[in-house]
């Protein structure tokens, strides 16, 4: 699996990847010392970058959401620019691909307490950027009369986010394909999101 590496320093990126690996392997939150040991650097050196595990988890989440943001923008641009619903579908597929490629990061971010997530300016900014893109597409759908003018777009974004998170979670535990026989879990996730979006937005 490709590590999440978005910052320049090798120690920084190795520490972020080691953190998600250790959590995945043990199911427990490691200490800064354990992370330092796993990447063979002095703990004192790693502490200069990450004073505690809260900072390390935050860095991991920032890197992962940065990748999600980049993927969402790229995939939406590649979709039919005249069809905002198709672009919204592409956005959902981007989320599925991200969760499938980075399952550890997906789970860790999903388990973060709201206070920790909201306490990070970068995390909030990345999430807001994605939600703003969703709103932009829904407003374009309204302008094309694909959605009623009275629709609460912010609620639709919240519902879509919640549904997509649930579908991705089921996909990662291997429980989704049994509801859509004959499909791989990742394909089943795409189908589930496509049906949801086209039922709600068409």
């Amino acid at each position: 699996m490709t590590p999440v590496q978005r910052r320049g320093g090798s120690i920084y990126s190795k520490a972020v990847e080691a953190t998600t690996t250790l959590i995945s392997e043990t199911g427990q939150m490691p200490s800064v010392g354990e992370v330092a040991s796993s990447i063979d650097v002095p703990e004192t050196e790693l502490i200069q970058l990450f004073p505690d595990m809260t900072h390390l988890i935050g860095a991991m989440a920032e890197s992962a959401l940065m990748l999600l943001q980049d993927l969402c923008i790229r995939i939406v641009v590649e979709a039919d620019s005249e069809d905002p619903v198709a672009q919204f579908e592409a956005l959902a597929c981007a989320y599925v691909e991200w969760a499938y490629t980075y399952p550890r990061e997906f789970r860790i971010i999903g388990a973060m307490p709201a206070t920790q997530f909201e306490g990070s300016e970068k995390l909030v900014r990345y999430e807001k950027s994605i939600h703003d893109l969703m709103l932009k597409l829904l407003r374009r759908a309204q302008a094309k009369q694909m959605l009623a003018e009275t629709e609460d777009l912010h609620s639709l974004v919240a519902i879509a986010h919640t549904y997509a998170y649930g579908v991705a979670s089921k996909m990662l535990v291997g429980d989704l394909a049994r509801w859509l026989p004959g499909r791989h879990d990742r394909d089943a996730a795409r189908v589930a999101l496509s049906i949801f979006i086209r039922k709600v937005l068409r």
Side-chain angles (χ1 to χ4, degrees), residues 48 68 111 120 145 148 170:
Q48 292 177 20
L68 175 60
S120 168
Q145 299 184 331
K170 296 284 278 183

Side-chain angles (χ1 to χ4, degrees), residues 168-181:
S169 297
K170 296 284 278 183
M171 171 186 71
L172 293 179
V173 297
D175 190 45
L176 191 60
R178 72 186 181 92
W179 296 97
L180 292 167

Side-chain angles (χ1 to χ4, degrees), residues 3-202:
V4 175
Q5 294 185 7
R6 298 289 296 181
R7 304 281 180 102
S10 60
I11 293 177
Y12 187 105
S13 58
K14 286 179 180 178
V16 168
E17 174 64 11
T19 299
T20 56
T21 299
L22 288 170
I23 292 174
S24 178
E25 290 176 350
T26 68
Q28 303 294 323
M29 186 69 67
S31 66
V32 175
E34 288 170 329
V35 175
S37 178
S38 72
I39 61 174
D40 197 26
V41 300
E43 182 177 355
T44 52
E45 187 173 347
L46 190 58
I47 286 175
Q48 292 177 20
L49 288 173
F50 306 104
D52 53 39
M53 283 307 301
T54 298
H55 286 80
L56 247 175
I57 291 296
M60 178 280 302
E62 289 171 15
S63 296
L65 285 187
M66 199 185 311
L67 284 177
L68 175 60
Q69 181 190 45
D70 290 347
L71 182 61
C72 286
I73 293 171
R74 186 170 70 253
I75 288 184
V76 166
V77 167
E78 292 172 355
D80 184 356
S81 61
E82 296 301 313
D83 188 346
V85 175
Q87 289 183 307
F88 201 89
E89 249 186 284
L91 198 62
C93 286
Y95 186 77
V96 167
E97 290 304 309
W98 173 76
Y100 186 82
T101 306
Y102 303 106
R104 295 171 300 185
E105 289 83 353
F106 171 83
R107 292 188 180 101
I108 292 169
I109 292 172
M112 287 179 72
T115 52
Q116 183 180 354
F117 190 97
E118 293 167 358
S120 168
E121 180 181 343
K122 289 183 179 179
L123 291 180
V124 172
R125 186 170 71 246
Y126 293 140
E127 183 178 67
K128 184 178 184 300
S129 174
I130 295 168
H131 286 184
D132 285 348
L133 178 56
M134 294 169 74
L135 280 170
K136 178 182 177 180
L137 295 175
L138 292 178
R139 290 189 180 111
R140 288 188 57 223
Q142 269 187 331
K144 288 177 173 287
Q145 299 184 331
M146 295 175 173
L147 279 175
E149 291 184 7
T150 56
E151 285 285 1
D152 183 344
L153 301 188
H154 288 278
S155 292
L156 279 180
V157 167
I159 292 168
H161 180 105
T162 302
Y163 183 77
Y165 179 81
V167 167
S169 297
K170 296 284 278 183
M171 171 186 71
L172 293 179
V173 297
D175 190 45
L176 191 60
R178 72 186 181 92
W179 296 97
L180 292 167
R183 297 183 184 274
H184 182 275
D185 278 293
R186 180 165 54 173
D187 293 334
R190 292 197 195 101
V191 169
L193 288 172
S194 178
I195 291 172
F196 172 83
I197 290 167
R198 292 186 176 273
K199 287 293 184 181
V200 173
L201 303 186
R202 288 293 191 187

